[in-house]
Amino acid sequence: MTPQFSAYLDLLRLLAALAVLLSHANSRALIDHSILPQSFGHNAVVVFFLLSGYVIAYVADVKEKTASSYWVSRFARIYSVALPALALTLLCDLVGAALNPGFYAGNLTTHDHWLLRLAASLSFSNELWFVSIMPFSNSPYWSLCYEMSYYLLFSIWAYAPAARRGLYLMLAALLIGPKILILAPIWALGVVLYRWRAAQALASAPGALLWLASVAGIVAFQTLDLSKSLSAWTAAQLSPWLYLNLNFSKHFLGDYLLALLIAANFIGFRALVRDGASGLGALMQRLHKPIALAAGFTFSIYLFHLPLLHFFTAVLEGSTAGYGRYLTVVGLALAASVLLGSVTETQKTPLKRWLERQLLPRLQRWRG
């Protein structure tokens, strides 16, 4: 992966996290008119899934040669931010509800059965089959449950003995259920993009055309809100119960189309900046380090922003007619996410080393 393309992926990752934040800030409790389409944040998660598949395929190919090293890295990455996110969500919800009980009673109904919610969140089982257990007010957490399922499927495909791979994949699929599996092709497309050698050989001129066409397609997809239209068609084809219980996967047709557009965008940009000689390639080369630094807060922004948005919306009273309170709440949520991220993002390596000391010797003894 070249520095130019790596910088581009980091930039997309950061922009997707900010898009999710702005989508959740589009609340009538914060501003009285709609700023963004409702689908804006969900579409950004499609970017995350495709990026995740691509990056996981890369690290498995280059760095993580065994299932043990793969899972130690995954647990260290996820739990280093997920655990603080759950603690922050509980703290914000409890303090916010004490200061403004009316806001939380009227807007959030996810504080019952807290032990069940916490256990499901810690085990990433919130979205298995047709279950949907919200981790208190932190709805973006749903995508982590999908991610962990895809990590499991990929680890079986990449590391399991060939003779048992099919059986293990079938058992994993039975555990995960159709709701998560229906979006698995999007994550798998990221893996395909990394391994697809023919796409990597695309020349820069057609790459530039493909990239521009994909940008136009993505803009049209969002402007026309095709996700909403395709979701309405899906709802008409499925039973009301099934459509409702697909929950975050019910927009799958639009998600598939958007994923193809994003995949084309990846292929085109990778070809455009491959040799680093183009002006855009040179720019991405110069911006590689600052983009990587900013993108290092992406996971924290994604997991911390919503309970913070709820909290600041609840405690900072003001008019919803103008932009003053809106900008204040969004700015505080973003600043607090970055500040907390400056601590949590540094815990991945220590946690990884601790897991290596605790888990790897036990795995070796179990295998021996």
Side-chain angles (χ1 to χ4, degrees):
M1 192 185 304
T2 65
Q4 297 92 336
F5 188 54
S6 177
Y8 185 65
L9 295 185
D10 280 341
L11 180 61
L12 291 180
R13 190 158 54 96
L14 177 62
L15 292 176
L18 294 175
V20 174
L21 186 155
L22 292 175
S23 177
H24 286 135
N26 193 28
S27 162
R28 297 295 76 81
L30 188 55
I31 192 153
D32 63 4
H33 59 279
S34 180
I35 298 175
L36 296 168
Q38 189 177 8
S39 60
F40 196 68
H42 179 84
N43 291 343
V45 177
V46 176
V47 178
F48 282 130
F49 282 162
L50 207 65
L51 277 169
S52 177
Y54 191 96
V55 171
I56 292 301
Y58 166 75
V59 297
D61 182 40
V62 175
K63 301 177 182 179
E64 296 158 8
K65 301 296 185 179
T66 66
S68 300
S69 62
Y70 171 87
W71 277 111
V72 164
S73 294
R74 299 290 76 72
F75 285 141
R77 181 66 186 122
I78 293 291
Y79 279 116
S80 62
V81 180
L83 292 176
L86 290 172
L88 174 69
T89 304
L90 278 170
L91 178 64
C92 286
D93 290 359
L94 291 173
V95 176
L99 296 174
N100 189 348
F103 171 82
Y104 281 84
N107 294 279
L108 304 171
T109 57
T110 57
H111 295 93
D112 56 341
H113 309 296
W114 68 273
L115 279 177
L116 174 62
R117 295 182 188 277
L118 189 59
S121 301
L122 290 173
S123 60
F124 304 103
S125 57
N126 307 58
E127 298 293 328
L128 298 180
W129 278 83
F130 294 111
V131 170
S132 190
I133 302 173
M134 195 66 67
F136 312 104
S137 71
N138 202 339
S139 61
Y141 202 93
W142 72 269
S143 66
L144 267 68
C145 309
Y146 281 58
E147 287 279 0
M148 289 298 282
S149 296
Y150 302 148
Y151 292 164
L152 173 61
L153 293 171
F154 179 86
S155 70
I156 295 171
W157 178 78
Y159 302 109
R164 302 177 185 175
R165 189 175 299 149
L167 174 61
Y168 291 167
L169 285 171
M170 183 182 67
L171 293 174
L174 287 173
L175 171 66
I176 292 166
K179 186 173 61 176
I180 294 177
L181 292 176
I182 203 170
L183 294 188
I186 296 173
W187 196 94
L189 181 57
V191 178
V192 171
L193 287 179
Y194 174 77
R195 293 177 173 269
W196 190 7
R197 301 309 178 203
Q200 295 176 21
L202 185 69
S204 59
L209 291 175
L210 181 61
W211 181 67
L212 290 172
S214 68
V215 170
I218 292 168
V219 170
F221 181 92
Q222 185 61 71
T223 302
L224 298 173
D225 208 358
L226 292 181
S227 180
K228 181 178 180 181
S229 302
L230 290 169
S231 183
W233 183 87
T234 304
Q237 309 309 309
L238 302 178
S239 71
W241 180 91
L242 179 57
Y243 178 77
L244 179 66
N245 283 279
L246 283 176
N247 204 14
F248 296 107
S249 298
K250 62 189 175 188
H251 310 293
F252 65 92
L253 286 181
D255 294 346
Y256 289 165
L257 176 57
L258 180 59
L260 291 174
L261 291 170
I262 298 168
N265 187 271
F266 283 13
I267 295 170
F269 195 88
R270 184 171 57 189
L272 179 59
V273 301
R274 181 183 299 110
D275 57 8
S278 67
L280 190 56
L283 177 63
M284 297 307 292
Q285 176 73 40
R286 288 197 298 272
L287 295 178
H288 179 234
K289 289 185 178 179
I291 289 175
L293 178 64
F297 295 101
T298 297
F299 196 21
S300 296
I301 292 172
Y302 181 76
L303 279 188
F304 294 162
H305 77 272
L306 189 54
L308 290 167
L309 279 175
H310 289 318
F311 176 78
F312 289 124
T313 301
V315 301
L316 296 178
E317 297 183 356
S319 172
T320 61
Y323 287 91
R325 178 165 169 261
Y326 171 86
L327 292 174
T328 300
V329 169
V330 170
L332 286 172
L334 178 59
S337 297
V338 171
L339 182 63
L340 292 168
S342 66
V343 177
T344 59
E345 295 288 350
T346 63
Q347 301 309 306
K348 175 187 173 182
T349 299
L351 180 56
K352 182 178 179 180
R353 290 172 180 164
W354 182 83
L355 289 171
E356 287 173 340
R357 291 195 302 270
Q358 298 298 318
L359 295 181
L360 294 186
R362 289 177 172 82
L363 287 172
Q364 290 171 355
R365 287 197 298 270
W366 179 69
R367 289 174 180 172

